[in-house]
């Protein structure tokens, strides 16, 4: 009797673009009895989360924590700044910008959509013209997805602020950093962002279940002008609680808060610059492998321009049904789970099976990325999908440069290309 | 040198009315890597939760799961059934009915409040008159808190349905079972409830972070008539998902789902009737102790009528600042945390310090309740708060009757007094 | 259909005399990946355990850690000090002194047994005579069980040293503190103990799997005179390792070491005097309850003299098969597990079912003890076993005195009656 | 300011030859309260471990579980079969055979050592001659290390049995499978092994703390002839317990038993043939990489003959201090921990820094091994240690063949080369 050998026993590796790999320290911190929610340790600990969240977002301003996922944080941002009949401008480079705009429409908000597809970044000229033409300031906010998890395009949020300022447009700049926070450099205050939306299950390395909305004083003023805001979404008491329960509009997400504390400890022990540098270095290794594979076969990164690539997620195209075959093989044979393509083709269409994504956000090391790429390489070989050789060696060469590279170098890069 | 002896080292016991004690099996189930959220084990497991949630609520109808706390579930219930300008009737026996009505008002809903205070149940005659007078059917829904966690009054939800039916009033009957689900008998379908709101951190024994809204076909029709519903709260795709992410309007609360699976396994292995019988029996032990203490001192249960007492929470009055003193002593000296009074006096007022609550919901055994009562008894003695003797012996006598009592007996009681 | 109500769902309570209740912090610390065993964190952390173990034993001398249970530590103590043909004196007040002597005999050591039964402490006069008569110093060591877990008698180890000194007898004084360490005051150096044997699963609150042998310079000299010592048991390299693996004679018990670190952190944060005072206070509460029960029924503590009772375990007699009935009822109905009697009657004999033991060692609080006693009280009532009333109230009165009692008071008591 | 980029944040990977990576299921199973050790769940569960341990060792005979590490199991095997003055033959291909022989000598046993160094397997001719010459049957046992963790040589245990049988020598065949059990095929009964020694922290995937001794009826007879056996090591009551505590000569290793149950569940769900096939396939990938690296630089596998290589551990030589440099770089930069060389050069000698080992035992998948190799490749590049190119591609090619390979194929191979 003959059976295939499976090499899948062992620690699984979930390399999808969120949820990401949860650190042991976070899971340990969450394995504890329920705490008192009125006084004591939890109350004191929660207060320490706020400044540490601000440091991740590079802001001096406000943060509201929600028991929700990222979609909930999207809704919270909209509910605190806009009312039915208001207009927003949405610049889209992927599925998630569309998703946020659909959420706005469901709230009765008018959406002006500049859709640049899934293969191109924002066209800043077109956006500038659009804003300049809005002399009546009909547009109340610009919805800007920093990294679109579907296309893996990283847009230039600072440039959006410049475009608004260039025509003295008063619209709020609202950024979605769900996929990028803690992975790609983001500087909320320096970049002039008014509202920033994030969630805990990607770069923040906590099991899904919390959303965050950061907001500026200007956004707080917009909130103050609204006739009413839903109690659950109202960020005002959450950001300025007089009683502990107001942080969360009711019962606190007790265990998630302990998990978040552990995750923030990891992040700030490493340092934001070091965290960003690590993600960038690892992303470069992935890109080097993809370039090599692509040189001898159909594999293509969705984003050609290096300056537009995210450090957190890489969207790939293989064509045919090879993406699905590859995902299936590495999961069943190696215990490695890759992300499905999203927004690149209609779900379940024949084309859909040609796309996939690699997640490389949060709790990822050089060794893990080499395992991810090694798994993909083996899958390409096993399935006889044509691919260039030397991909792993190219990635290894990048990883090997970790000592020679430096945090400051990456830091400069980050500030020049936003 | 002399220092007080502390007896607090050891396993802490959180006896507040939620969050409740989390079973080891639930925490174990949550201590795991993030799963794939697009296919595989999580997807299959989540489907098994739905029928088991229905069994807890005794309904054949729909359930939507939210990443939220109970307040979020309140908002979800309102957002799916009502629009600004609509009117609801709220019958209140405690702080939480008021809280729900405030949430409705913040959404632009008009509230007609029948406030029976914190010491009395619903006056069904008054409610019936109010409903009968609404011949124009201005009232779209009745908000009915089954057990108000603040007062610990258990209201008769089936009687509310009878009152509606008696005058052929079409309003939806919306019940808040946040404090009672899994503790006090609740029969959604048999009692004619259209919408039921619950959360995971009390009788369901999962760390805070999930809310549930159960709804009937009639409620689904009300939803269908609304011009728009917020994407995050919309229960329609959550209850009838075509894609997995629709269950949760985005990313799934991965670890909480595993925790819920473990909790539902515990509940249904014990059996709903047995779970209710256990809670009732334990509550009777608590009441027996309170009666004995009260016979020789100031301690009073807030609810005098046994038929109106919850099996999940007991609100107590000691007077002066003795409640705060007692809570402080048992926590510092014994590692036992009792609940603060809520809604019985203004927060931080002198009177506030005279109230406290005992939580006895979810993962509680006879031995735990004897430890809770023993701790309270020792605290009364240590602080020289007058109290009748024999309280623990009285409770022990009730506990001892566990063998003689029976699930069916309790069941009958449950069905006669709603 | 009628079924008994069970009140057992909820957190179980294992109140047997070891293994004891494991603190959450210990289990958390053990839930981690395997560490490197040649360098790094584990190596550095292990070095910190040694001084903290010494502080628990009140010694400045040596400690060897074994991967073993307490029986392994017994054997280690014998193997490092004695050889076949040597003679030891064993003074017995329970089953475990007999067990240790049997282990010695299996190693070819001659045992002179002074057996005082299971109801009496050492007769120091008889022992003194025996030692004085040994003018040839045939006896190489005295095996002295501090607290015999079977009878719960606490013997006076310092008096044994005095008896040896009184006749200038050179025998080693070897104490078994498996049941008492971290519960009953023990002062290794002040009391002149040469070898002390302990294990991790009782007062040290770590899952079973480690034994400890503490030894004095005099014992080290005895070891040095032996012609050979088994490699696994040899305490010399374990206590004075040049390489990390020598601590453990091979691979380290990695996860247990992290657990022990967490447990020692708890113990020393509380303070040895406070730990002992807590155990004594809790034991007094138990004794008060037992006195009250016994006043109206057959329940008797095995140790009548308060000065001879252990703070860690209480051996009880009920007679008939009532002990087994009681244990069964509280476990099945309340989730409370009591200890079987041990060494008081032949296993499975009719008499055996009349004995039981309560464990109150390690991670125990005032609230837990009240739960334990409340469970027993309910069981006595449920089974209609005659018992005096007021037991819980008597215990509660003791617990209530925690504020008034003091660590120093207990400390004095401890030093006078050793 | 410039700082090196570290890529070490993320899940660490401990790739040393034991302790190995612990599965989440095992850690979860161990994160639980202490159980009763006299009756109930633990007692019933423990009984299920025995047949499942036998299946791992491919034996129908006895197994004794020890709270110990592998060295303890070594000692147990010796103590149950030999007495001071007895003679054993030790055939050595590495440090651990020497270690076992030293342990025998410390017990007063005479050792005849045939030392084949660290680079060669047993010379069966020389062994056969040695045995044949022992016509007086002075040799009571042959100590045979299956895989020596230091050299990574896998010896042919079945051939040793053949050599004994060829000259009708009655000596017991005692195998050390500490490094190999659950990784390299081992067939205790088919290969005529009398005593087999193992531990839990390698192929069995449980945190260090348990040893196992499997023994045949013939070995049991040898035990029966001994005048005495230490109580702690005596395998007779452990293998044939009348009371539960006899399994463990005292208190059970409670949490480890739950961990072992989970590990055996994983192993037998995969199937022994599949487990062995996976290890072999992964080892082949490692060897392919090593061959490629060695083609262009100093890296050499210690074992040249493929048929002599273990599937569990690979001992490597780099020369100079490059092994230490490589280990340091991959740990600090990538979070990957490799094993030190052992027994190949004196500890801390200059030569010592030229050796290292890769552990690939137990809970390892194809993706993990590619991460391990990728990390090593990056380290070689970063440190500019010459090495041939294409190593990762060669390993990937092997991994890719997983589908084409088959369990049965490996099985045949296993049975032919033992």
């Amino acid at each position: 009797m003959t059976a295939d050998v499976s090499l899948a026993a062992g620690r699984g590796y979930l390399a999808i673009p969120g949820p990401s790999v949860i650190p042991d320290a976070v899971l340990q911190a969450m394995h504890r009895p329920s705490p008192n929610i009125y006084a004591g340790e939890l109350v004191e600990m929660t207060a320490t989360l706020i400044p540490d969240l601000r440091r991740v977002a590079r802001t001096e301003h406000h943060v509201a924590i929600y028991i929700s996922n990222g979609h909930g944080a999207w809704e919270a941002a909209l509910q605190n700044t806009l009312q039915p009949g208001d207009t927003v401008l949405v610049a889209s480079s992927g599925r998630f910008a569309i998703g946020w705009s659909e959420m706005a429409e469901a709230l009765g908000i008018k959406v002006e959509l500049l859709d640049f597809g899934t293969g191109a970044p924002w066209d800043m000229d077109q956006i500038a013209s659009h804003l300049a033409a809005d002399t009546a300031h009909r547009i109340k906010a610009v919805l800007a997805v920093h990294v679109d998890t579907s296309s893996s395009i990283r847009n230039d949020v600072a440039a959006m602020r410049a475009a608004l300022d260039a025509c003295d447009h008063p619209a709020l700049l609202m950024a979605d950093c769900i996929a990028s926070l803690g992975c790609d450099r983001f500087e909320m205050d320096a970049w002039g962002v008014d509202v920033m939306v994030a969630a805990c299950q990607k770069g923040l390395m906590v099991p899904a279940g919390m959303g965050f909305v950061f907001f500026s004083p200007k956004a707080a003023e917009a909130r103050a002008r609204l006739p009413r805001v839903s109690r659950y979404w109202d960020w005002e008491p959450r950001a300025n609680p007089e009683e502990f329960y107001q942080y969360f509009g009711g019962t606190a997400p007790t265990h998630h808060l302990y998990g978040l504390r552990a995750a923030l400890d990891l992040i700030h022990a490493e340092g934001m610059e070091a965290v960003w540098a690590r993600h960038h270095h690892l992303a470069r290794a992935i890109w080097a492998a993809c370039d090599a594979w692509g040189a001898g076969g159909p594999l293509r990164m969705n984003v050609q321009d290096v300056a537009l690539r995210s450090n957190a997620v890489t969207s790939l195209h293989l064509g045919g049904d090879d993406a699905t075959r590859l995902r299936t093989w590495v999961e069943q044979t190696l215990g490695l789970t890759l992300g499905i393509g999203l927004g690149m083709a209609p779900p379940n269409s024949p084309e859909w099976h040609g796309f996939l994504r690699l997640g490389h956000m949060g709790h990822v090391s050089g060794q893990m990325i080499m395992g991810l790429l090694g798994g993909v390489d083996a899958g390409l070989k096993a399935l006889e999908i044509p691919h260039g050789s030397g991909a792993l060696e190219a990635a290894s060469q990048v990883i090997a440069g970790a000592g020679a590279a430096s945090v400051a170098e990456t830091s400069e890069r980050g500030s020049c290309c936003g």
Side-chain angles (χ1 to χ4, degrees), chain A:
Chain A
M1 193 195 72
T2 300
D4 281 357
V5 174
S6 171
L7 309 177
R11 256 178 11 184
Y13 180 4
L14 184 73
I16 68 174
S20 62
V21 173
I22 311 296
D24 288 316
V26 171
L27 290 172
Q28 270 186 321
M30 295 178 71
H31 197 140
R32 47 156 295 148
S34 285
N36 193 352
I37 56 168
Y38 293 108
E41 183 200 17
L42 178 72
V43 175
E44 289 159 31
M45 184 274 279
T46 300
T48 71
L49 297 173
I50 305 304
D52 285 345
L53 283 169
R54 284 192 191 117
R55 290 164 67 198
V56 173
R58 291 276 167 108
T59 182
E60 300 293 323
H61 301 310
H62 309 290
V63 57
I65 305 175
Y66 293 90
I67 308 179
S68 77
N69 49 24
H71 285 62
W74 272 355
E75 179 140 336
L78 299 170
Q79 294 263 20
N80 277 283
T81 53
L82 301 159
Q83 52 185 317
D86 280 349
T87 296
V88 295
L89 176 64
V90 177
S92 170
S93 297
R95 176 70 201 120
F96 285 89
I98 306 291
W100 198 5
S101 73
E102 290 167 347
M103 185 163 253
E105 286 175 323
L107 295 173
I109 296 162
K110 294 175 196 161
V111 170
E112 299 185 2
L113 176 66
L114 296 176
D115 190 343
F116 304 104
T118 57
W122 300 335
D123 180 330
M124 290 310 304
D125 290 340
Q126 195 176 338
I127 292 168
S129 301
H130 197 100
L131 288 170
D134 179 30
T135 51
H137 296 165
R138 184 185 66 253
I139 296 167
K140 300 301 181 203
V142 177
L143 306 193
V145 175
H146 184 210
V147 167
D148 201 296
T149 329
S150 62
S151 64
S152 72
I153 292 174
R154 181 166 54 97
N155 274 302
D156 189 340
V157 174
M160 186 67 86
R161 164 50 58 202
L164 283 160
D165 289 353
C167 59
D168 280 328
H169 199 292
L172 295 171
L173 175 52
M174 301 183 27
D176 166 348
C177 293
I178 293 171
S180 62
L181 194 70
C183 306
D184 287 283
R185 174 179 295 274
F186 178 79
E187 308 256 9
M188 179 164 171
D189 292 358
W191 294 359
V193 174
D194 292 305
V195 176
M196 191 269 274
V197 166
C200 68
Q201 79 276 9
K202 305 206 177 189
L204 293 184
M205 311 182 292
V206 177
M210 281 191 299
F212 307 97
V213 179
F214 298 79
F215 58 98
S216 69
K218 181 178 164 187
E221 286 166 25
R223 152 71 187 79
R225 285 192 298 268
L226 293 180
R228 65 169 177 262
V229 177
S230 117
R231 283 259 172 146
Y232 192 73
W233 297 126
D234 194 354
W235 69 31
E236 165 59 24
R238 287 179 184 253
N240 303 287
E242 292 175 11
E243 303 279 345
F244 180 68
Y245 80 91
Q246 293 179 310
Y247 270 118
F248 311 104
T251 301
T254 50
H255 290 63
H256 270 76
L257 294 174
Y258 287 103
L260 180 59
R261 180 65 270 162
L264 290 170
D265 285 346
L266 290 174
I267 286 172
H268 291 309
E270 189 177 359
M272 287 309 303
E273 293 289 347
V275 167
W276 289 330
R278 171 169 53 85
H279 279 85
H280 181 58
H281 207 97
L282 296 175
R284 284 180 47 224
I286 291 168
W287 304 338
C290 291
D291 279 335
W293 285 321
L299 186 140
R300 293 289 178 274
M301 283 182 276
N302 185 52
V303 186
Q304 297 304 313
D305 184 346
V306 171
L308 301 174
R309 288 180 191 153
S310 166
N311 291 332
V313 52
T314 299
S315 186
L316 298 172
H317 184 241
L318 265 176
D321 60 353
D322 280 346
T324 294
R325 291 174 66 223
L326 180 66
R327 288 192 300 101
T328 303
W329 191 89
V330 298
E331 181 155 55
Q332 293 183 348
T333 315
L334 307 183
L336 170 64
T337 304
L338 307 179
I340 58 171
L342 213 68
M344 312 300 284
N348 303 317
S349 64
E351 292 72 26
W352 185 87
H353 294 283
F355 294 92
L356 78 157
R357 289 175 301 159
L358 310 180
H360 33 103
M361 39 180 51
H363 197 56
V364 279
S365 68
Q367 166 265 314
M368 290 166 76
I369 294 300
M370 289 307 296
L372 163 60
L373 297 174
V376 170
D377 193 82
L380 293 171
K381 287 178 168 56
L383 301 172
E384 300 184 351
I385 300 171
H387 60 284
S389 67
L392 300 178
E393 195 116 16
S396 171
Q397 193 68 55
V398 175
I399 297 291
S406 76
V407 172
E409 179 192 30
T410 311
S411 165
E412 283 166 39
R413 175 200 155 276
S415 54
C416 71
C417 70

